[in-house]
Amino acid sequence: MELTQLIKERRSIQIFEEREVSLDLVKELLDTAVWVPNHRMTQPWRFVIVHGEARKRIAELKGKPGDASFNVNYYNKMMDVPMFIAVVIKENPVIGIREEDYSSASCIIQNLSLLAWEQGLGMIWKSYGHMHEAAYRDALGIQPGERVVGSLHVGYASQVPNAQPRIPATDLITVIDQA
Ligand SMILES: Cc1cc2nc3c(=O)[nH]c(=O)nc-3n(C[C@H](O)[C@H](O)[C@H](O)COP(=O)(O)O)c2cc1C
């Protein structure tokens, strides 16, 4: 697919087919996705991939089946996601570097979503609050000093949402050409 078409036609996917996602394919896509610009080449990221039965680590964060606190809707919603990828970065103590690192990690996520889309694979970047909470961090082995940039839900789309219109960049351009 041509890059322009890929960029415009990629959608964030919420609802997936039951079909499994190949771990090898995702590893290969990630290997390409990390070719982002990265000031100082800090490359502070790593990726925690959760799939199969391990999805229960996430699905059971709001109670296990049988618990009084069990949230069946949350459990089912999470177990319907074929694969999760937590994009994790080491938090640099210097704020400027921390922002650069976060920006580069965001580029990886966009690269990955385009590469996945090209392969017919859907994805959504989720930023739910509980990815910063101790229970989620413990379940995925997130270390002190690490930040979860996003929890990516990955799978083959069962529904592709309509595109939401973008404000044309041409309406947002200020051209300065006078001395
Ligand atoms: C930083 C970031 C965080 C996001 N977090 C969520 C989220 O928590 N839940 C959600 O449904 N979508 C989330 N999204 C996806 C956006 O809602 C989606 O990109 C937007 O609606 C435009 O749709 P499109 O990606 O299909 O063009 C997030 C996107 C970004 C870039």
Side-chain angles (χ1 to χ4, degrees):
M1 207 185 288
E2 219 187 281
L3 185 58
T4 304
Q5 187 189 0
L6 194 57
I7 288 173
K8 289 187 174 175
E9 291 186 359
R10 176 213 56 82
R11 295 277 70 81
S12 294
I13 301 302
Q14 300 269 13
I15 302 169
F16 302 99
E17 291 178 359
E18 262 181 50
R19 200 167 140 197
E20 267 186 38
V21 175
S22 151
L23 186 56
D24 285 344
L25 171 63
V26 168
K27 286 180 177 173
E28 194 185 314
L29 298 179
L30 277 169
D31 243 347
T32 306
V34 292
W35 282 84
V36 291
N38 176 221
H39 195 198
R40 304 167 217 273
M41 295 306 292
T42 49
Q43 304 183 66
W45 36 76
R46 65 186 188 95
F47 308 95
V48 181
I49 300 178
V50 177
H51 71 153
E53 281 300 292
R55 292 174 297 172
K56 287 187 182 164
R57 285 171 178 253
I58 294 172
E60 292 180 352
L61 285 172
K62 299 190 180 179
K64 294 184 179 162
D67 288 354
S69 63
F70 182 53
N71 182 332
V72 67
N73 290 336
Y74 174 82
Y75 180 89
N76 288 338
K77 213 163 103 181
M78 292 304 177
M79 289 306 284
D80 283 346
V81 176
M83 181 183 277
F84 298 89
I85 306 175
V87 177
V88 181
I89 54 173
K90 265 195 215 102
E91 288 235 82
N92 196 291
V94 179
I95 186 168
I97 300 177
R98 210 150 71 217
E99 289 194 350
E100 288 167 357
D101 286 347
Y102 185 89
S103 304
S104 288
S106 301
C107 294
I108 294 180
I109 296 174
Q110 177 66 358
N111 273 354
L112 180 65
S113 68
L114 292 174
L115 290 162
W117 197 255
E118 191 181 37
Q119 298 294 320
L121 190 57
M123 200 186 99
I124 186 165
W125 178 345
K126 291 277 189 178
S127 50
Y128 31 69
H130 64 274
M131 72 186 195
H132 303 297
E133 290 171 8
Y136 175 98
R137 292 175 65 92
D138 287 351
L140 269 66
I142 311 300
Q143 299 300 304
E146 288 186 320
R147 174 181 184 180
V148 182
V149 176
S151 169
L152 313 181
H153 294 188
V154 184
Y156 293 93
S158 126
Q159 279 176 33
V160 178
N162 291 329
Q164 299 175 57
R166 267 46 173 190
I167 302 166
T170 43
D171 292 355
L172 305 168
I173 294 172
T174 305
V175 178
I176 301 178
D177 57 6
Q178 299 289 314

